[in-house]
Amino acid sequence: MNIVFNKSIMEIYRFAFIILLSSLLVSCGEKKQETGNADKAAEKKTPAFTLPEVPVMLQSVEDRLHFVVNHYWDKFDFKDTAYIHAPDITEQAMANYIDLLTRVPQVMADSCVTRTLENVSLEPKMLNYFVETLRKYLFDPNSPMRNEEIFEPVCRFVASYASADEAAQSRARYDLKLIDMNRVGSVAADFVYTLASGAQRRMHDLRSPYTLLLFYNPDCHGCAEVLAHMKSSPVLTDAGIMKQVSILAFYPDEEYEVWENHRDMIPSGWINGYDKELTVLDRELYDLKAMPTLYLLDKDKKVLLKDAPVEQVEQYLAHLFGR
């Protein structure tokens, strides 16, 4: 996966925690300073985002968090298309909203996202802006905030929204297909890999307690960076952990010579194979919209982590093995 992402989005993500500080920790009983008429007039000309006021009786962080998530957009004018041209306001608000959604139960996140889109659908241009921005943050493979579970209700809404054009509905249905593909908890799709010797094996036949699938392309700059990271990782080079984890580096593309010429880039302790019949791509067995892509599986080949950053894989294994 290409780890370079839009700088402005990285900056927005970096400051997403501000919403928590301002809405959960600051006393809701403080009085706001009155502004003069000139200031109020200026505020009307410039779009702004106002957080909901948390009731005083809600004292726990959890209760305050749930209130803010459920009422996050209460003071936002969905009909004001000027917000579309103020990404420093609107995108920051959405980045903060996404950060909050990751901190509440999935059922609550789903209902809040759906309700937000129902409200924003009153203005078609604003709905399109919200959907595209949420897709950029939650489904772009290079986004540090990508989260298929939160993006799923966005796709469901668009796919069933009567006023959406066919192209938007078709893309939403396809995105849902990708989200449902090898999702966490399901059994990962099996495939055949071919070794340098010409021998062929099935991924499901690997018998180690854990399997780490690395879909990669030797010519990919992001792949080279992730491979370098993995080779020097204290977790992924730990002898005790590696006795329990098989790493299968799998090249799914058609240029066999590229794979053959770069076989030495894969450590000898890993399994290094390619897709001789191009089954994975032709049958769309995995969502490989970016390289590299990492999946962590358990002994039954159930998905533990899907399309995970290498750092998340390290954290999961380190916690699992007490490192």
Side-chain angles (χ1 to χ4, degrees), residues 3 67 70 83 87 90 153 170 224 233 253:
I3 62 174
F67 181 89
N70 277 288
Y83 282 103
T90 316
S170 177
S233 167
D253 291 320

Side-chain angles (χ1 to χ4, degrees), residues 263-314:
R263 279 194 295 142
D264 291 343
M265 71 188 301
I266 301 300
S268 59
W270 301 6
I271 303 168
N272 187 15
Y274 69 99
D275 193 350
K276 185 176 182 179
E277 306 299 330
L278 299 179
T279 305
V280 170
L281 292 181
D282 288 348
R283 293 176 55 190
E284 294 186 306
L285 296 182
Y286 284 80
D287 176 9
L288 301 178
K289 55 180 174 286
M291 292 288 186
T293 298
L294 289 164
Y295 282 76
L296 182 64
L297 316 179
D298 69 8
K299 64 181 179 61
D300 299 315
K301 301 304 179 285
K302 288 185 178 180
V303 179
L304 300 174
L305 296 176
K306 174 184 178 180
D307 189 17
V310 64
E311 294 83 2
Q312 185 180 1
V313 173
E314 290 176 302

Side-chain angles (χ1 to χ4, degrees), residues 25-315:
L25 302 179
V26 176
S27 173
C28 55
E30 294 180 0
K31 293 184 179 180
K32 296 181 179 178
Q33 184 177 357
E34 293 295 331
T35 57
N37 292 333
D39 291 337
K40 290 181 179 180
E43 288 175 2
K44 291 181 180 180
K45 295 180 181 179
T46 304
F49 181 80
T50 304
L51 294 171
E53 297 179 6
V54 183
V56 177
M57 69 280 298
L58 299 180
Q59 293 297 312
S60 74
V61 171
E62 182 180 38
D63 287 343
R64 293 170 71 84
L65 170 62
H66 290 180
F67 181 89
V68 171
V69 170
N70 277 288
H71 297 273
Y72 190 82
W73 301 101
D74 281 4
K75 297 186 179 183
F76 186 84
D77 185 359
F78 292 111
K79 294 183 179 180
D80 187 356
T81 57
Y83 282 103
I84 295 175
H85 308 291
D88 56 327
I89 300 296
T90 316
E91 285 200 35
Q92 182 67 69
M94 278 198 269
N96 291 339
Y97 184 54
I98 291 169
D99 184 67
L100 291 174
L101 290 171
T102 64
R103 302 168 188 268
V104 301
Q106 188 61 44
V107 173
M108 180 181 293
D110 284 0
S111 64
C112 288
V113 169
T114 301
R115 186 170 64 252
T116 297
L117 294 177
E118 288 172 347
N119 291 331
V120 78
S121 66
L122 298 173
E123 172 48 61
K125 290 182 179 179
M126 188 69 83
L127 174 61
N128 182 66
Y129 177 75
F130 262 63
V131 170
E132 291 302 313
T133 304
L134 288 169
R135 191 176 196 277
K136 177 172 65 174
Y137 280 91
L138 294 170
F139 206 57
D140 188 303
N142 297 314
S143 170
M145 301 184 75
R146 69 184 184 278
N147 189 311
E148 290 186 349
E149 292 176 340
I150 295 178
F151 186 60
E152 187 172 2
V154 178
C155 297
R156 289 200 305 264
F157 180 87
V158 175
S160 61
Y161 183 55
S163 298
D165 60 50
E166 178 57 33
Q169 289 183 325
S170 177
R171 185 175 71 167
R173 288 192 292 267
Y174 185 70
D175 287 347
L176 283 171
K177 175 184 175 181
L178 296 180
I179 291 170
D180 196 50
M181 189 181 295
N182 301 300
R183 67 193 311 155
V184 172
S186 68
V187 176
D190 195 14
F191 57 87
V192 173
Y193 58 91
T194 302
L195 302 172
S197 65
Q200 294 188 313
R201 304 284 188 270
R202 302 201 70 88
M203 185 271 286
H204 276 198
D205 288 340
L206 292 172
R207 291 291 175 252
S208 57
Y210 299 93
T211 299
L212 179 58
L213 300 180
L214 168 65
F215 296 93
Y216 80 107
N217 187 318
D219 285 341
C220 160
H221 177 70
C223 296
E225 292 190 346
V226 169
L227 277 168
H229 183 109
M230 293 175 69
K231 291 176 185 178
S232 62
S233 167
V235 175
L236 298 177
T237 58
D238 182 283
I241 293 177
M242 286 300 99
K243 287 181 180 179
Q244 305 295 317
V245 181
S246 292
I247 300 180
L248 170 56
F250 183 73
Y251 174 66
D253 291 320
E254 58 186 344
E255 292 85 5
Y256 168 79
E257 293 76 12
V258 172
W259 176 81
E260 174 69 21
N261 293 334
H262 293 82
R263 279 194 295 142
D264 291 343
M265 71 188 301
I266 301 300
S268 59
W270 301 6
I271 303 168
N272 187 15
Y274 69 99
D275 193 350
K276 185 176 182 179
E277 306 299 330
L278 299 179
T279 305
V280 170
L281 292 181
D282 288 348
R283 293 176 55 190
E284 294 186 306
L285 296 182
Y286 284 80
D287 176 9
L288 301 178
K289 55 180 174 286
M291 292 288 186
T293 298
L294 289 164
Y295 282 76
L296 182 64
L297 316 179
D298 69 8
K299 64 181 179 61
D300 299 315
K301 301 304 179 285
K302 288 185 178 180
V303 179
L304 300 174
L305 296 176
K306 174 184 178 180
D307 189 17
V310 64
E311 294 83 2
Q312 185 180 1
V313 173
E314 290 176 302
Q315 292 170 5

